[in-house]
Amino acid sequence: MQSISEKGNKKKKGVPALYERLKNRKLEANTKTRKTKTRKQGRKQQKSQPPSEERVKITLTRPRRDKYTPIRSSMSQKQFLGSKSPIALANDIMFATKGVSYVPDCAIDPDIELLRYNTVLDVKKKWRHLCSEFKLRVPKESFNRWIYARLMLTRYNEDGCYFVGDTEHFCDPVLGSANVLDFMLLRTELINDFPARLYLDGIDDNYCVKKCKKFANLTEKAFSQMELGEDHSLMEHFVAYNDLVKSMIEDFDADKIELLKDMSREFKSECETFVANYIDETELFSELESFVSESITSLTQQSPSNDCVQLLHTRVDSDHEDINRHVFKFVKGSLKEDMVVIQHCEKKSAFYISRVHYDKLKRLYEMHMNQRRNEGMKLSLRIKYDQQDLLVFVFCLMCRYSCLMDNKGWDKTNWLRGSTFHSAIPQSLFSFLGTDAKCGMEMFASPFNCYFPVFCSAFPDIDQFFGSRGSGFQFVPRNGTFEANPPFAMEPMVECATRFNMWLDHAEEREDELRFIMVLPHWTEPPAPYLSIFEDSQYIKEKIIVRKGEHSYISGSQHTLTSGFQFRAAHDTVIYVLSTSHSGDLKESFESGVKRCFT
């Protein structure tokens, strides 16, 4: 039997062994720490050394993210529709086969896209020059409205070609066909805008006098620019009208308001008749038609360069490094603050896109390319994607949409021109429509301003790689809930009213659940024709009017801005909910939810 002293000595003998084991563990941890520090130092030394030529070609596309403050992702899974994944959401939406699904072997050339962008700018400059030459004021956004009217007639087939209507006249994606040129819209814009637009019904008497004063000032300026003599009949009528307006300003008389309105309408009608005859006597539209026809012909005669065809039509078994060298010939990317600068290497033309939107395009691109691969689709692109492929597509995307919005670079003169046609509703309203109305697709969007992963857009040949299902006028939905916020131009909105009612008729016959949520401007001065079409529809379930100043939109130029892209609406907005009888009713809190989220 051991004594107490022997037990104590045994315990003391075990203590040094325990210390030794702890010391060895500490030494091992220190050794691992030293190895980690050595690896980090080696990386720093490797970064400080000048990279090789091949390495430069790859890293020049964009600086490393960890050198800058990380930016929150602009497109999370939950942002699409609650907790539902975007792929599952896309599978829930059913549509007819008439819509463009996937277009194989689509040749997209950065050189041609840049040429198209410069050609459209030249056409716009020609339009402004002709109006100035013939001493006419250029109506605001008139040429952009003409382009949108052309896009409404353009169709895209599965062979990757654009054509006009039911004819086989192949055309340019933006300017249309040279064989089917119609400038009636531009002519109407000039007539209605001379010397200014005037609508006096349903307004306050004092405001009526102010509008007449402004109309008289613009008339005097237009007549002096056209050098109308005092003996001209229109000038004599203007003198009498101007005297009445001045007398109403100096001494307001409520009894003369009706006389002022009648005289204003009569004088406006005379001005429109005069300018219509004046336009017909000039060669304004003949010169414009000749210039546009030559521009379209020069674009359609171009063919993709061999390098680009080799890049975009490469199969899976192609050499990856050779493809990278071909890509670098076209575009490169760099970072300027929070903007990604995508530049054509040979032409030295650059476009700016915000880093948040670039990340969004990257995620959309990877999502839909992987979905194509999983579905076993025949691809014109290889399965292995990298960032340089994306740069080419984003460059072409910027060229194409800059034809509709003059926002190239940091040019502040025309950077907002055309962006109002691409305005989108806030993300809070999209989220509400997704969760409350089960909305899962946009009928009019672009890869820049889309919220859902599938949408319809104006240019399916490029937009399809980012989730587009074709044009909103060519796509034929069968069931589901769709948000529609068309360009705020009269012709596309009237076409929407007619076409959507037709689709609802077909869905009602099939007993399908189809619903459209329309977001439109509530133009009542004068009343817009599309309003009466929606009001008379048998499928209207909800009508919500949100007053101006109480809601906001997201600018169409949001992808070129880092802040200040949300603006207050300057007009009332009406939201129509049209659905078949099998779609069910929305919640009673739908209207209050829309007004709460539309901020």
Side-chain angles (χ1 to χ4, degrees), residues 406-447:
D406 303 339
N407 53 15
K408 180 176 178 291
W410 296 110
D411 184 12
K412 298 295 183 181
T413 56
N414 296 321
W415 72 289
L416 278 178
R417 194 181 299 275
S419 62
T420 54
F421 294 108
H422 293 263
S423 299
I425 60 178
Q427 292 186 2
S428 57
L429 183 55
F430 269 124
S431 178
F432 174 78
L433 295 179
T435 56
D436 214 62
K438 306 303 179 185
C439 180
M441 185 174 176
E442 301 165 71
M443 295 298 295
F444 299 94
S446 71

mmCIF file of all heavy atoms in Angstrom, residues 406-447:
data_model
loop_
_atom_site.group_PDB
_atom_site.id
_atom_site.type_symbol
_atom_site.label_atom_id
_atom_site.label_comp_id
_atom_site.label_asym_id
_atom_site.label_seq_id
_atom_site.Cartn_x
_atom_site.Cartn_y
_atom_site.Cartn_z
ATOM 1 N N ASP A 406 -29.160 58.653 -74.947
ATOM 2 C CA ASP A 406 -27.884 59.312 -75.210
ATOM 3 C C ASP A 406 -27.129 59.471 -73.901
ATOM 4 O O ASP A 406 -27.057 60.551 -73.325
ATOM 5 C CB ASP A 406 -28.110 60.683 -75.857
ATOM 6 C CG ASP A 406 -28.906 60.567 -77.140
ATOM 7 O OD1 ASP A 406 -28.923 59.468 -77.703
ATOM 8 O OD2 ASP A 406 -29.508 61.559 -77.556
ATOM 9 N N ASN A 407 -26.539 58.370 -73.410
ATOM 10 C CA ASN A 407 -25.863 58.433 -72.114
ATOM 11 C C ASN A 407 -24.455 57.864 -72.181
ATOM 12 O O ASN A 407 -23.964 57.282 -71.239
ATOM 13 C CB ASN A 407 -26.663 57.681 -71.044
ATOM 14 C CG ASN A 407 -26.994 56.263 -71.476
ATOM 15 O OD1 ASN A 407 -26.419 55.755 -72.424
ATOM 16 N ND2 ASN A 407 -27.900 55.625 -70.776
ATOM 17 N N LYS A 408 -23.799 58.038 -73.302
ATOM 18 C CA LYS A 408 -22.453 57.499 -73.464
ATOM 19 C C LYS A 408 -21.461 58.315 -72.633
ATOM 20 O O LYS A 408 -21.415 59.536 -72.714
ATOM 21 C CB LYS A 408 -22.046 57.527 -74.927
ATOM 22 C CG LYS A 408 -20.655 56.979 -75.205
ATOM 23 C CD LYS A 408 -20.398 56.971 -76.698
ATOM 24 C CE LYS A 408 -18.993 56.464 -77.010
ATOM 25 N NZ LYS A 408 -17.983 57.413 -76.572
ATOM 26 N N GLY A 409 -20.646 57.611 -71.856
ATOM 27 C CA GLY A 409 -19.605 58.289 -71.097
ATOM 28 C C GLY A 409 -20.177 59.248 -70.071
ATOM 29 O O GLY A 409 -21.225 59.054 -69.491
ATOM 30 N N TRP A 410 -19.472 60.343 -69.863
ATOM 31 C CA TRP A 410 -19.884 61.343 -68.884
ATOM 32 C C TRP A 410 -20.400 62.595 -69.571
ATOM 33 O O TRP A 410 -20.305 63.698 -69.034
ATOM 34 C CB TRP A 410 -18.703 61.699 -67.968
ATOM 35 C CG TRP A 410 -18.240 60.562 -67.147
ATOM 36 C CD1 TRP A 410 -17.070 59.882 -67.284
ATOM 37 C CD2 TRP A 410 -18.920 59.937 -66.069
ATOM 38 N NE1 TRP A 410 -16.981 58.887 -66.368
ATOM 39 C CE2 TRP A 410 -18.104 58.895 -65.595
ATOM 40 C CE3 TRP A 410 -20.146 60.152 -65.444
ATOM 41 C CZ2 TRP A 410 -18.462 58.078 -64.542
ATOM 42 C CZ3 TRP A 410 -20.503 59.334 -64.389
ATOM 43 C CH2 TRP A 410 -19.667 58.316 -63.951
ATOM 44 N N ASP A 411 -20.924 62.461 -70.765
ATOM 45 C CA ASP A 411 -21.456 63.611 -71.489
ATOM 46 C C ASP A 411 -22.737 64.078 -70.815
ATOM 47 O O ASP A 411 -23.770 63.410 -70.856
ATOM 48 C CB ASP A 411 -21.738 63.230 -72.951
ATOM 49 C CG ASP A 411 -22.205 64.419 -73.764
ATOM 50 O OD1 ASP A 411 -22.097 65.549 -73.258
ATOM 51 O OD2 ASP A 411 -22.665 64.214 -74.897
ATOM 52 N N LYS A 412 -22.712 65.247 -70.181
ATOM 53 C CA LYS A 412 -23.850 65.728 -69.415
ATOM 54 C C LYS A 412 -24.866 66.492 -70.259
ATOM 55 O O LYS A 412 -25.899 66.894 -69.762
ATOM 56 C CB LYS A 412 -23.360 66.663 -68.294
ATOM 57 C CG LYS A 412 -22.447 65.987 -67.284
ATOM 58 C CD LYS A 412 -23.176 64.912 -66.511
ATOM 59 C CE LYS A 412 -22.282 64.294 -65.447
ATOM 60 N NZ LYS A 412 -22.963 63.242 -64.694
ATOM 61 N N THR A 413 -24.586 66.714 -71.536
ATOM 62 C CA THR A 413 -25.500 67.522 -72.343
ATOM 63 C C THR A 413 -26.786 66.769 -72.655
ATOM 64 O O THR A 413 -27.882 67.312 -72.549
ATOM 65 C CB THR A 413 -24.812 67.947 -73.641
ATOM 66 O OG1 THR A 413 -24.346 66.779 -74.336
ATOM 67 C CG2 THR A 413 -23.613 68.838 -73.324
ATOM 68 N N ASN A 414 -26.665 65.497 -73.047
ATOM 69 C CA ASN A 414 -27.843 64.731 -73.457
ATOM 70 C C ASN A 414 -27.980 63.438 -72.664
ATOM 71 O O ASN A 414 -28.615 62.497 -73.114
ATOM 72 C CB ASN A 414 -27.754 64.394 -74.952
ATOM 73 C CG ASN A 414 -27.782 65.627 -75.823
ATOM 74 O OD1 ASN A 414 -28.514 66.568 -75.541
ATOM 75 N ND2 ASN A 414 -26.980 65.636 -76.857
ATOM 76 N N TRP A 415 -27.387 63.381 -71.475
ATOM 77 C CA TRP A 415 -27.298 62.087 -70.790
ATOM 78 C C TRP A 415 -28.645 61.587 -70.293
ATOM 79 O O TRP A 415 -28.804 60.405 -70.064
ATOM 80 C CB TRP A 415 -26.323 62.186 -69.628
ATOM 81 C CG TRP A 415 -26.814 62.983 -68.468
ATOM 82 C CD1 TRP A 415 -26.976 64.327 -68.419
ATOM 83 C CD2 TRP A 415 -27.219 62.492 -67.208
ATOM 84 N NE1 TRP A 415 -27.451 64.708 -67.199
ATOM 85 C CE2 TRP A 415 -27.606 63.600 -66.422
ATOM 86 C CE3 TRP A 415 -27.289 61.228 -66.629
ATOM 87 C CZ2 TRP A 415 -28.060 63.483 -65.130
ATOM 88 C CZ3 TRP A 415 -27.741 61.119 -65.330
ATOM 89 C CH2 TRP A 415 -28.117 62.235 -64.593
ATOM 90 N N LEU A 416 -29.635 62.466 -70.123
ATOM 91 C CA LEU A 416 -30.961 62.015 -69.704
ATOM 92 C C LEU A 416 -31.933 61.898 -70.875
ATOM 93 O O LEU A 416 -33.075 61.535 -70.678
ATOM 94 C CB LEU A 416 -31.544 62.975 -68.659
ATOM 95 C CG LEU A 416 -31.079 62.773 -67.213
ATOM 96 C CD1 LEU A 416 -31.694 63.808 -66.313
ATOM 97 C CD2 LEU A 416 -31.434 61.382 -66.722
ATOM 98 N N ARG A 417 -31.508 62.251 -72.077
ATOM 99 C CA ARG A 417 -32.420 62.225 -73.220
ATOM 100 C C ARG A 417 -32.766 60.779 -73.567
ATOM 101 O O ARG A 417 -31.899 59.976 -73.890
ATOM 102 C CB ARG A 417 -31.773 62.916 -74.410
ATOM 103 C CG ARG A 417 -32.746 63.228 -75.532
ATOM 104 C CD ARG A 417 -32.035 63.899 -76.684
ATOM 105 N NE ARG A 417 -31.425 65.153 -76.283
ATOM 106 C CZ ARG A 417 -32.057 66.317 -76.240
ATOM 107 N NH1 ARG A 417 -33.332 66.383 -76.545
ATOM 108 N NH2 ARG A 417 -31.418 67.416 -75.893
ATOM 109 N N GLY A 418 -34.045 60.460 -73.499
ATOM 110 C CA GLY A 418 -34.505 59.115 -73.813
ATOM 111 C C GLY A 418 -34.591 58.188 -72.624
ATOM 112 O O GLY A 418 -35.161 57.100 -72.729
ATOM 113 N N SER A 419 -34.037 58.573 -71.475
ATOM 114 C CA SER A 419 -34.035 57.666 -70.327
ATOM 115 C C SER A 419 -35.413 57.529 -69.692
ATOM 116 O O SER A 419 -35.690 56.537 -69.019
ATOM 117 C CB SER A 419 -33.033 58.150 -69.277
ATOM 118 O OG SER A 419 -33.391 59.429 -68.790
ATOM 119 N N THR A 420 -36.288 58.525 -69.877
ATOM 120 C CA THR A 420 -37.619 58.438 -69.273
ATOM 121 C C THR A 420 -38.444 57.308 -69.871
ATOM 122 O O THR A 420 -39.348 56.780 -69.210
ATOM 123 C CB THR A 420 -38.376 59.761 -69.459
ATOM 124 O OG1 THR A 420 -38.386 60.117 -70.850
ATOM 125 C CG2 THR A 420 -37.688 60.882 -68.680
ATOM 126 N N PHE A 421 -38.152 56.903 -71.105
ATOM 127 C CA PHE A 421 -38.882 55.792 -71.704
ATOM 128 C C PHE A 421 -38.519 54.458 -71.052
ATOM 129 O O PHE A 421 -39.239 53.473 -71.213
ATOM 130 C CB PHE A 421 -38.604 55.718 -73.203
ATOM 131 C CG PHE A 421 -39.147 56.896 -73.975
ATOM 132 C CD1 PHE A 421 -38.292 57.847 -74.499
ATOM 133 C CD2 PHE A 421 -40.502 57.059 -74.161
ATOM 134 C CE1 PHE A 421 -38.783 58.935 -75.202
ATOM 135 C CE2 PHE A 421 -41.000 58.147 -74.859
ATOM 136 C CZ PHE A 421 -40.140 59.079 -75.382
ATOM 137 N N HIS A 422 -37.382 54.414 -70.349
ATOM 138 C CA HIS A 422 -36.925 53.178 -69.707
ATOM 139 C C HIS A 422 -37.136 53.195 -68.204
ATOM 140 O O HIS A 422 -36.562 52.366 -67.499
ATOM 141 C CB HIS A 422 -35.437 52.956 -70.002
ATOM 142 C CG HIS A 422 -35.140 52.663 -71.430
ATOM 143 N ND1 HIS A 422 -34.972 51.385 -71.918
ATOM 144 C CD2 HIS A 422 -34.988 53.489 -72.494
ATOM 145 C CE1 HIS A 422 -34.729 51.445 -73.217
ATOM 146 N NE2 HIS A 422 -34.738 52.695 -73.587
ATOM 147 N N SER A 423 -37.916 54.130 -67.707
ATOM 148 C CA SER A 423 -38.103 54.232 -66.266
ATOM 149 C C SER A 423 -38.812 52.984 -65.737
ATOM 150 O O SER A 423 -39.693 52.422 -66.393
ATOM 151 C CB SER A 423 -38.920 55.475 -65.919
ATOM 152 O OG SER A 423 -38.237 56.646 -66.355
ATOM 153 N N ALA A 424 -38.426 52.578 -64.536
ATOM 154 C CA ALA A 424 -38.990 51.381 -63.910
ATOM 155 C C ALA A 424 -39.622 51.750 -62.577
ATOM 156 O O ALA A 424 -39.308 52.779 -61.978
ATOM 157 C CB ALA A 424 -37.905 50.328 -63.700
ATOM 158 N N ILE A 425 -40.518 50.898 -62.110
ATOM 159 C CA ILE A 425 -41.129 51.112 -60.803
ATOM 160 C C ILE A 425 -40.121 50.721 -59.727
ATOM 161 O O ILE A 425 -39.182 49.960 -59.985
ATOM 162 C CB ILE A 425 -42.437 50.307 -60.669
ATOM 163 C CG1 ILE A 425 -42.169 48.807 -60.821
ATOM 164 C CG2 ILE A 425 -43.456 50.781 -61.688
ATOM 165 C CD1 ILE A 425 -43.399 47.944 -60.647
ATOM 166 N N PRO A 426 -40.280 51.203 -58.488
ATOM 167 C CA PRO A 426 -39.305 50.887 -57.437
ATOM 168 C C PRO A 426 -39.273 49.398 -57.108
ATOM 169 O O PRO A 426 -40.225 48.655 -57.351
ATOM 170 C CB PRO A 426 -39.797 51.714 -56.243
ATOM 171 C CG PRO A 426 -40.678 52.765 -56.820
ATOM 172 C CD PRO A 426 -41.297 52.155 -58.033
ATOM 173 N N GLN A 427 -38.162 48.967 -56.514
ATOM 174 C CA GLN A 427 -38.018 47.564 -56.139
ATOM 175 C C GLN A 427 -39.019 47.164 -55.062
ATOM 176 O O GLN A 427 -39.452 46.002 -55.010
ATOM 177 C CB GLN A 427 -36.594 47.299 -55.652
ATOM 178 C CG GLN A 427 -35.544 47.408 -56.740
ATOM 179 C CD GLN A 427 -34.173 46.995 -56.255
ATOM 180 O OE1 GLN A 427 -34.015 46.593 -55.103
ATOM 181 N NE2 GLN A 427 -33.183 47.104 -57.117
ATOM 182 N N SER A 428 -39.380 48.104 -54.194
ATOM 183 C CA SER A 428 -40.355 47.788 -53.152
ATOM 184 C C SER A 428 -41.701 47.393 -53.752
ATOM 185 O O SER A 428 -42.374 46.478 -53.259
ATOM 186 C CB SER A 428 -40.524 48.989 -52.220
ATOM 187 O OG SER A 428 -40.910 50.152 -52.951
ATOM 188 N N LEU A 429 -42.096 48.054 -54.847
ATOM 189 C CA LEU A 429 -43.359 47.703 -55.504
ATOM 190 C C LEU A 429 -43.237 46.371 -56.233
ATOM 191 O O LEU A 429 -44.182 45.563 -56.236
ATOM 192 C CB LEU A 429 -43.771 48.811 -56.477
ATOM 193 C CG LEU A 429 -45.114 48.618 -57.183
ATOM 194 C CD1 LEU A 429 -46.240 48.411 -56.181
ATOM 195 C CD2 LEU A 429 -45.429 49.814 -58.078
ATOM 196 N N PHE A 430 -42.090 46.118 -56.850
ATOM 197 C CA PHE A 430 -41.874 44.814 -57.485
ATOM 198 C C PHE A 430 -41.989 43.691 -56.455
ATOM 199 O O PHE A 430 -42.619 42.652 -56.709
ATOM 200 C CB PHE A 430 -40.494 44.768 -58.150
ATOM 201 C CG PHE A 430 -40.491 45.204 -59.581
ATOM 202 C CD1 PHE A 430 -39.675 46.233 -60.007
ATOM 203 C CD2 PHE A 430 -41.292 44.580 -60.510
ATOM 204 C CE1 PHE A 430 -39.663 46.637 -61.329
ATOM 205 C CE2 PHE A 430 -41.295 44.974 -61.842
ATOM 206 C CZ PHE A 430 -40.469 46.008 -62.243
ATOM 207 N N SER A 431 -41.365 43.893 -55.310
ATOM 208 C CA SER A 431 -41.413 42.871 -54.264
ATOM 209 C C SER A 431 -42.843 42.646 -53.781
ATOM 210 O O SER A 431 -43.258 41.498 -53.557
ATOM 211 C CB SER A 431 -40.518 43.297 -53.099
ATOM 212 O OG SER A 431 -40.572 42.351 -52.059
ATOM 213 N N PHE A 432 -43.605 43.729 -53.650
ATOM 214 C CA PHE A 432 -45.002 43.591 -53.219
ATOM 215 C C PHE A 432 -45.826 42.848 -54.260
ATOM 216 O O PHE A 432 -46.635 41.977 -53.921
ATOM 217 C CB PHE A 432 -45.589 44.978 -52.955
ATOM 218 C CG PHE A 432 -47.060 44.966 -52.641
ATOM 219 C CD1 PHE A 432 -47.513 44.606 -51.386
ATOM 220 C CD2 PHE A 432 -47.996 45.295 -53.622
ATOM 221 C CE1 PHE A 432 -48.874 44.572 -51.107
ATOM 222 C CE2 PHE A 432 -49.342 45.269 -53.344
ATOM 223 C CZ PHE A 432 -49.785 44.907 -52.082
ATOM 224 N N LEU A 433 -45.647 43.168 -55.536
ATOM 225 C CA LEU A 433 -46.398 42.480 -56.592
ATOM 226 C C LEU A 433 -46.028 41.007 -56.652
ATOM 227 O O LEU A 433 -46.863 40.158 -56.971
ATOM 228 C CB LEU A 433 -46.118 43.150 -57.944
ATOM 229 C CG LEU A 433 -46.600 44.593 -58.115
ATOM 230 C CD1 LEU A 433 -46.236 45.119 -59.498
ATOM 231 C CD2 LEU A 433 -48.099 44.711 -57.889
ATOM 232 N N GLY A 434 -44.761 40.697 -56.360
ATOM 233 C CA GLY A 434 -44.343 39.302 -56.386
ATOM 234 C C GLY A 434 -44.948 38.486 -55.263
ATOM 235 O O GLY A 434 -45.394 37.349 -55.481
ATOM 236 N N THR A 435 -44.977 39.046 -54.079
ATOM 237 C CA THR A 435 -45.480 38.297 -52.932
ATOM 238 C C THR A 435 -47.002 38.341 -52.822
ATOM 239 O O THR A 435 -47.626 37.352 -52.435
ATOM 240 C CB THR A 435 -44.868 38.863 -51.640
ATOM 241 O OG1 THR A 435 -45.143 40.267 -51.551
ATOM 242 C CG2 THR A 435 -43.367 38.643 -51.618
ATOM 243 N N ASP A 436 -47.620 39.472 -53.185
ATOM 244 C CA ASP A 436 -49.060 39.634 -52.982
ATOM 245 C C ASP A 436 -49.864 39.205 -54.210
ATOM 246 O O ASP A 436 -50.976 38.686 -54.066
ATOM 247 C CB ASP A 436 -49.377 41.095 -52.650
ATOM 248 C CG ASP A 436 -50.538 41.220 -51.669
ATOM 249 O OD1 ASP A 436 -50.386 40.716 -50.544
ATOM 250 O OD2 ASP A 436 -51.570 41.801 -52.048
ATOM 251 N N ALA A 437 -49.350 39.457 -55.403
ATOM 252 C CA ALA A 437 -50.082 39.112 -56.631
ATOM 253 C C ALA A 437 -49.449 37.961 -57.393
ATOM 254 O O ALA A 437 -49.919 37.621 -58.480
ATOM 255 C CB ALA A 437 -50.168 40.341 -57.547
ATOM 256 N N LYS A 438 -48.372 37.370 -56.827
ATOM 257 C CA LYS A 438 -47.681 36.251 -57.477
ATOM 258 C C LYS A 438 -47.178 36.619 -58.868
ATOM 259 O O LYS A 438 -47.206 35.797 -59.793
ATOM 260 C CB LYS A 438 -48.584 35.017 -57.543
ATOM 261 C CG LYS A 438 -49.176 34.582 -56.214
ATOM 262 C CD LYS A 438 -48.105 34.298 -55.181
ATOM 263 C CE LYS A 438 -48.704 33.885 -53.848
ATOM 264 N NZ LYS A 438 -47.672 33.714 -52.807
ATOM 265 N N CYS A 439 -46.740 37.847 -59.022
ATOM 266 C CA CYS A 439 -46.192 38.294 -60.304
ATOM 267 C C CYS A 439 -44.776 37.749 -60.457
ATOM 268 O O CYS A 439 -43.992 37.753 -59.496
ATOM 269 C CB CYS A 439 -46.189 39.825 -60.360
ATOM 270 S SG CYS A 439 -45.538 40.512 -61.897
ATOM 271 N N GLY A 440 -44.445 37.282 -61.654
ATOM 272 C CA GLY A 440 -43.138 36.659 -61.843
ATOM 273 C C GLY A 440 -42.428 37.021 -63.115
ATOM 274 O O GLY A 440 -41.390 36.429 -63.417
ATOM 275 N N MET A 441 -42.936 37.992 -63.891
ATOM 276 C CA MET A 441 -42.288 38.316 -65.160
ATOM 277 C C MET A 441 -42.693 39.712 -65.586
ATOM 278 O O MET A 441 -43.803 40.165 -65.308
ATOM 279 C CB MET A 441 -42.666 37.293 -66.229
ATOM 280 C CG MET A 441 -41.962 37.476 -67.547
ATOM 281 S SD MET A 441 -42.314 36.133 -68.702
ATOM 282 C CE MET A 441 -41.445 36.700 -70.157
ATOM 283 N N GLU A 442 -41.767 40.403 -66.254
ATOM 284 C CA GLU A 442 -42.016 41.743 -66.791
ATOM 285 C C GLU A 442 -42.177 41.668 -68.301
ATOM 286 O O GLU A 442 -41.397 41.003 -68.982
ATOM 287 C CB GLU A 442 -40.860 42.676 -66.438
ATOM 288 C CG GLU A 442 -40.618 42.829 -64.958
ATOM 289 C CD GLU A 442 -39.281 43.457 -64.665
ATOM 290 O OE1 GLU A 442 -39.118 44.673 -64.923
ATOM 291 O OE2 GLU A 442 -38.382 42.743 -64.178
ATOM 292 N N MET A 443 -43.173 42.382 -68.807
ATOM 293 C CA MET A 443 -43.434 42.383 -70.245
ATOM 294 C C MET A 443 -42.577 43.403 -70.980
ATOM 295 O O MET A 443 -42.366 43.273 -72.186
ATOM 296 C CB MET A 443 -44.915 42.661 -70.512
ATOM 297 C CG MET A 443 -45.855 41.590 -69.998
ATOM 298 S SD MET A 443 -45.592 39.984 -70.767
ATOM 299 C CE MET A 443 -46.038 40.334 -72.458
ATOM 300 N N PHE A 444 -42.102 44.425 -70.283
ATOM 301 C CA PHE A 444 -41.274 45.456 -70.921
ATOM 302 C C PHE A 444 -40.143 45.810 -69.962
ATOM 303 O O PHE A 444 -40.355 46.506 -68.966
ATOM 304 C CB PHE A 444 -42.114 46.702 -71.247
ATOM 305 C CG PHE A 444 -43.238 46.451 -72.203
ATOM 306 C CD1 PHE A 444 -44.508 46.172 -71.728
ATOM 307 C CD2 PHE A 444 -43.027 46.458 -73.567
ATOM 308 C CE1 PHE A 444 -45.554 45.927 -72.594
ATOM 309 C CE2 PHE A 444 -44.062 46.201 -74.449
ATOM 310 C CZ PHE A 444 -45.330 45.940 -73.962
ATOM 311 N N ALA A 445 -38.964 45.309 -70.270
ATOM 312 C CA ALA A 445 -37.814 45.558 -69.401
ATOM 313 C C ALA A 445 -36.549 45.454 -70.250
ATOM 314 O O ALA A 445 -36.606 45.354 -71.482
ATOM 315 C CB ALA A 445 -37.788 44.566 -68.237
ATOM 316 N N SER A 446 -35.425 45.507 -69.595
ATOM 317 C CA SER A 446 -34.122 45.331 -70.231
ATOM 318 C C SER A 446 -33.212 44.660 -69.218
ATOM 319 O O SER A 446 -33.527 44.623 -68.017
ATOM 320 C CB SER A 446 -33.542 46.682 -70.672
ATOM 321 O OG SER A 446 -33.151 47.449 -69.544
ATOM 322 N N PRO A 447 -32.081 44.112 -69.646
ATOM 323 C CA PRO A 447 -31.169 43.522 -68.655
ATOM 324 C C PRO A 447 -30.684 44.514 -67.614
ATOM 325 O O PRO A 447 -30.262 44.099 -66.527
ATOM 326 C CB PRO A 447 -30.002 43.023 -69.524
ATOM 327 C CG PRO A 447 -30.594 42.795 -70.867
ATOM 328 C CD PRO A 447 -31.634 43.856 -71.030
#
